[in-house]
Amino acid sequence: MADNRRWWALVVIALAQLMVVLDMTIVNIALPSAQAALHMSDGNRQWVITAYTLAFGGLLLLGGRVSDLVGRRTTFVIGLLGFAAASALGGAAANSGMLFGARALQGVFAALLAPSALSLLATTFTDPKDRGKAFGIFGAIIGAGAAVGLLAGGFLTQYLNWRWCLYVNVPIALIAFFGAMALLPPGERRPDARLDVPGALLGSAGMLSLVYGFSEAESRGWSDGLVLTLLGAGVVLLAAFGLWQTRARVPLLPMSVVKDRQRVGAFLTVLCTTIGMFGVFLFLTYYMQGVLGYSPVKTGVAYLPITVGMIIGSTQIAARLLNRVPPRVLMVPGLLLAAGALAIIAQVRTEPAYASHILPSMLMLGAGMGTAMMTSVTLATGGVEPRDAGAASATFNTAQQVGGSIGTALLNTIAATVTARYLTAHAGPGTNPKELQANALVHGFNVATWWAMGALLLGALIAGVVVDAERAPTLQGAGERTPEPVETLG
């Protein structure tokens, strides 16, 4: 394929990935309006978010292997059309159950779409120079997608209707669909290949149980019997999945994907990074709307510096240096810069502090995360056999999704617990209830943000110790065969 067609293909792939990533946050700002319109209870409203993350995180490994078996363009376009249909169904929801079901269906098709997109990118750009640019753009989209979702959600909710936070996916998916049909090759089908059914059941059930357990911890508490049962079952099922993968004739997750030291370092780093990042997005949204009184649109605009920082970190720092310096030289400083940003955010008070604290920390957070995430994507998908690119891509997406679920549940539980204790300790005659509530909320956010900073520092430590490659790997890796022509666009 001509060079300019490869870059147009990147636009199609990136558009699909942006839709998947921003859909994890675009409904956050719209949630109060949707709750009122569909008469959801406070206890049930979380399922608008959780139904999507459960299906997405639990089925990613299966989706990645399916993309390897039936062809990446096939699963890519099926994922696009299915995601569009599920989004239209959710936008037209007449009751809460219909909305929850539509969000779960979105997650199912996202689990097909996301691994296909990342593996298509890996097999499209094999030249180190072009690969660095392409992954720089892709990394910026992954990192900035959550912030873009909050911005889009604010505008759509305030000026149109909360339903448009779902309807907007339909034209995006259709544009990407026609672009994929025009620019991406058909890919090959391997009729002799087999799907690892026991592995699919064990892996998907284990991931679903784990993500469900973390999501329920937010409302039930970590000592609740159901939460402990779900988390324990998730660990047991995933351990059984790992044991089975060493014995399966055609494993769902080839051991070569997780035995590589660099790739494992990238997976663990992404897990820690998203634990901190998703929780902070949640706290900043509540801080700006609940404490500072920002409108949905103003809140979305306030997130723009993170997007700017992500683009700078991914395309101007990581993409330019990736082939010149060891990956950990980019990952460790990037995560330390992001951790420093959280240290600033953790010191906000109830007084307006956007210019003095939030703005500079958002720029730092974006630049640091963009640098680290883009490098991690390259490590996670490089040096893997083309036939296993979908499995490697799915594992990366799983680490990201599970990290986000853990971060949201863990940090929100910490914040809620600290807030309740603060209210109990400071309540008394003569106190202003509104002022006390604001102070308690901010104190809870601050403590949880320190924990988020700890997650990023742990990620930096893992990157510094585990990742020891001198340079980021190419697609085929040293001494491995080159990609099959039918699977590439170059």
Side-chain angles (χ1 to χ4, degrees), residues 15-28 52 83 103 141-142 144-150 152-153 156 165 168-169 172:
L15 190 63
Q17 183 68 17
L18 175 63
M19 182 179 67
V20 170
V21 173
L22 68 81
D23 218 70
M24 288 188 283
T25 58
I26 193 171
V27 299
N28 282 358
Y52 180 77
F83 200 91
R103 290 286 287 167
I141 289 168
I142 290 177
V148 172
L150 292 167
L156 292 172
C165 290
V168 71
N169 292 320
I172 295 176

Side-chain angles (χ1 to χ4, degrees), residues 95 150 310 341 400 467:
N95 52 60
L150 292 167
M310 289 282 186
Q400 183 186 12
V467 178

Side-chain angles (χ1 to χ4, degrees), residues 34 86-87 110 122 153 205 234 271 300 305 323 354 381 434 454 477:
S87 299
L271 180 70
N323 295 313
Y354 185 82
T381 57
K434 187 176 180 180

Side-chain angles (χ1 to χ4, degrees), residues 155-488:
F155 274 94
L156 292 172
T157 300
Q158 188 160 327
Y159 293 116
L160 290 175
N161 185 285
W162 67 267
R163 296 179 183 275
W164 280 96
C165 290
L166 294 162
Y167 285 144
V168 71
N169 292 320
V170 177
I172 295 176
L174 291 178
I175 291 171
F177 168 77
F178 289 115
M181 296 302 293
L183 295 167
L184 301 179
E188 68 171 359
R189 297 183 63 180
R190 299 200 298 274
D192 59 326
R194 295 291 182 269
L195 184 64
D196 175 18
V197 176
L201 293 174
L202 288 171
S204 298
M207 200 61 64
L208 283 168
S209 182
L210 200 62
V211 175
Y212 186 25
F214 278 115
S215 68
E216 285 295 292
E218 180 180 346
S219 57
R220 293 175 175 269
W222 292 99
S223 60
D224 181 79
L226 177 62
V227 172
L228 294 176
T229 300
L230 287 168
L231 294 178
V235 171
V236 172
L237 287 168
L238 289 177
F241 167 78
L243 180 62
W244 172 255
Q245 294 305 283
T246 64
R247 302 180 178 183
R249 186 169 64 88
V250 184
L252 182 69
L253 177 60
M255 287 297 101
S256 60
V257 171
V258 291
K259 281 184 177 179
D260 181 79
R261 176 172 180 158
Q262 316 309 321
R263 204 170 294 119
V264 169
F267 294 151
L268 293 176
T269 299
V270 167
L271 180 70
C272 294
T273 300
T274 50
I275 284 175
M277 184 176 72
F278 274 74
V280 169
F281 276 148
L282 179 68
F283 300 147
L284 285 176
T285 300
Y286 276 105
Y287 173 74
M288 288 188 283
Q289 289 196 49
V291 178
L292 301 185
Y294 285 9
S295 67
V297 169
K298 190 174 181 179
T299 302
V301 172
Y303 273 106
L304 284 178
I306 287 185
T307 306
V308 173
M310 289 282 186
I311 293 172
I312 293 173
S314 296
T315 64
Q316 301 304 310
I317 299 176
R320 292 178 180 273
L321 297 177
L322 188 60
N323 295 313
R324 301 179 183 180
V325 299
R328 63 180 173 186
V329 172
L330 295 172
M331 297 169 71
V332 174
L335 291 173
L336 291 178
L337 180 64
L342 296 193
I344 296 174
I345 293 174
Q347 299 179 56
V348 298
R349 296 292 180 263
T350 54
E351 298 79 14
Y354 185 82
S356 61
H357 289 71
I358 305 301
L359 176 60
S361 61
M362 279 188 173
L363 288 170
M364 291 170 58
L365 183 63
M369 298 287 287
T371 302
M373 288 292 285
M374 181 269 179
T375 309
S376 298
V377 172
T378 306
L379 284 178
T381 57
V384 65
E385 286 280 359
R387 66 172 179 269
D388 294 329
S393 304
T395 308
F396 174 85
N397 277 285
T398 299
Q400 183 186 12
Q401 183 63 26
V402 172
S405 299
I406 293 172
T408 301
L410 174 62
L411 298 178
N412 198 52
T413 299
I414 292 172
T417 302
V418 172
T419 297
R421 289 176 179 173
Y422 186 97
L423 288 171
T424 301
H426 293 80
T431 59
N432 184 321
K434 187 176 180 180
E435 182 179 337
L436 176 62
Q437 181 68 26
N439 287 330
L441 283 172
V442 171
H443 180 62
F445 295 163
N446 289 344
V447 173
T449 302
W450 286 116
W451 280 88
M453 186 189 76
L456 294 188
L457 291 176
L458 178 59
L461 178 63
I462 291 171
V465 173
V466 179
V467 178
D468 60 357
E470 289 300 314
R471 293 291 184 272
T474 58
L475 173 67
Q476 62 269 25
E480 294 183 12
R481 63 187 178 92
T482 56
E484 298 166 5
V486 74
E487 294 287 355
T488 68

Side-chain angles (χ1 to χ4, degrees), residues 82-109:
F83 200 91
S87 299
L89 181 65
N95 52 60
S96 58
M98 186 175 174
L99 179 58
F100 299 158
R103 290 286 287 167
L105 199 58
Q106 278 186 308
V108 171
F109 287 107

